[in-house]
Amino acid sequence: MNLVEIVGYFAMTFLVLSFIPKQIVRIRVINLIGCLFFVAYGIMLQAWPVAISNGFVAIIQVYHLTKMRMGKE
């Protein structure tokens, strides 16, 4: 197994795990981690649709996490 496959498996694992928690913050954080792994995976494979789409989802997750954090303060 090479580094690209390992990154892909991490991405897949975090994506699947993001569907388990009920707390929205945990879901978003775990999904963000999965997206970042998918961005790295897409770049390594030069699979730009994978990298770009997950990059956008990661930005959306960061936006919502920031908005939620600012709402608590």
Side-chain angles (χ1 to χ4, degrees):
M1 187 175 327
N2 63 32
L3 180 62
V4 175
E5 289 176 333
I6 292 169
V7 171
Y9 282 118
F10 272 116
M12 173 199 66
T13 301
F14 279 102
L15 180 67
V16 170
L17 289 176
S18 74
F19 289 99
I20 295 172
K22 292 184 180 181
Q23 302 87 358
I24 191 69
V25 173
R26 276 200 183 142
I27 291 169
R28 291 195 183 280
V29 169
I30 296 169
N31 188 265
L32 172 62
I33 294 167
C35 286
L36 294 174
F37 273 111
F38 267 121
V39 168
Y41 182 67
I43 290 170
M44 292 171 146
L45 290 177
Q46 295 185 349
W48 303 117
V50 172
I52 293 168
S53 63
N54 280 281
F56 281 126
V57 174
I59 291 167
I60 292 167
Q61 296 296 21
V62 168
Y63 168 78
H64 284 295
L65 286 166
T66 303
K67 189 173 175 183
M68 291 168 70
R69 185 170 185 128
M70 290 177 74
K72 287 185 178 180
E73 293 177 359

